[in-house]
Amino acid sequence: MPEAQPLKQAMPSEADILCSIFEACFAASMRTRLLGGGEEPLYQPAKSSDDYHQIIFRSDYAASALHEVSHWCIAGEQRRQQLDYGYWYEPDGRSVAQQRVFESVEARPQALEWLFSVAAGRQFRVSIDNLNGDSIDPFPFQLAVWQAVHRYLANGLPRRAAVFWRALQNYYGLPQAADPRSYTLESIIGS
């Protein structure tokens, strides 16, 4: 008689783990879920009161998940009732002026993404997100992201961001996530 073999279960991906952590934090209280598999990131508000809001991130990329959660953590109540928070998005190929506008609204979400990345033991890279646009010095944006991180560490994170950040720290067991020395300007300039 053959010996019984245990079923082999696939190890959850990093993105699956992030979705589970997010679900534990916000599925019940905010009726919001984090889902991978999107061709492009998208926030979709619930269609009815018994439905869930959905934060859809690109493919199964953990970095995309953390970035999209950071936007959700900043969006106010009215924004969270609109598709993609009602924001405009100027695609890749932006002029210098368009890029600076993009950077002015993107520094805070990328700062949260950096905080989440460190809490999850992941590498963070500042995203200029304009590969086909005008050439631009990335340093002012990198500096703005670094400054935003240090403001959050000194003054506190937005409420939902703080809940998720603490949950990441608890799951991954990385206390250095709260140490300002974990967020150096040099570490993002070279990325």
Side-chain angles (χ1 to χ4, degrees), residues 3-191:
E3 189 173 315
Q5 298 292 319
L7 291 175
K8 291 184 180 179
Q9 294 182 342
M11 293 293 294
S13 70
E14 279 187 86
D16 291 335
I17 292 168
L18 295 174
C19 290
S20 294
I21 294 169
F22 186 90
E23 177 106 359
C25 292
F26 302 112
S29 64
M30 301 292 297
R31 301 205 51 78
T32 305
R33 290 204 164 118
L34 178 63
L35 305 167
E39 286 186 31
E40 291 296 327
L42 178 72
Y43 173 76
Q44 189 168 335
K47 292 177 175 44
S48 69
S49 61
D50 39 331
D51 197 8
Y52 286 84
H53 307 287
Q54 297 179 357
I55 304 168
I56 301 167
F57 60 93
R58 181 126 162 72
S59 297
D60 65 347
Y61 303 140
S64 177
L66 295 176
H67 183 79
E68 296 312 312
V69 169
S70 71
H71 279 288
W72 179 80
C73 287
I74 290 174
E77 177 65 33
Q78 289 181 341
R79 289 281 188 187
R80 293 192 317 273
Q81 302 308 313
Q82 300 175 57
L83 184 66
D84 250 356
Y85 313 108
Y87 291 136
W88 58 268
Y89 178 74
E90 192 70 41
D92 191 352
R94 294 182 287 273
S95 68
V96 171
Q98 291 169 321
Q99 181 64 21
R100 291 300 183 213
V101 171
F102 168 83
E103 292 173 1
S104 72
V105 297
E106 192 65 18
R108 287 177 43 230
Q110 288 203 28
L112 288 178
E113 180 187 351
W114 191 3
L115 289 159
F116 297 158
S117 295
V118 171
R122 296 190 46 78
Q123 176 74 31
F124 170 76
R125 286 183 169 70
V126 169
S127 176
I128 303 298
D129 195 26
N130 197 27
L131 299 174
N132 298 314
D134 292 348
S135 180
I136 190 167
D137 177 10
F139 181 74
F141 183 55
Q142 293 164 330
L143 178 62
V145 171
W146 177 81
Q147 289 171 327
V149 163
H150 286 273
R151 275 193 303 276
Y152 281 138
L153 290 170
N155 302 322
L157 281 67
R159 185 183 58 79
R160 284 170 283 138
V163 167
F164 188 61
W165 189 50
R166 281 192 301 273
L168 291 170
Q169 288 176 58
N170 289 338
Y171 181 85
Y172 289 98
L174 298 172
Q176 69 270 23
D179 185 345
R181 294 173 297 184
S182 296
Y183 306 90
T184 66
L185 190 54
E186 294 76 23
S187 69
I188 61 170
I189 290 174
S191 60

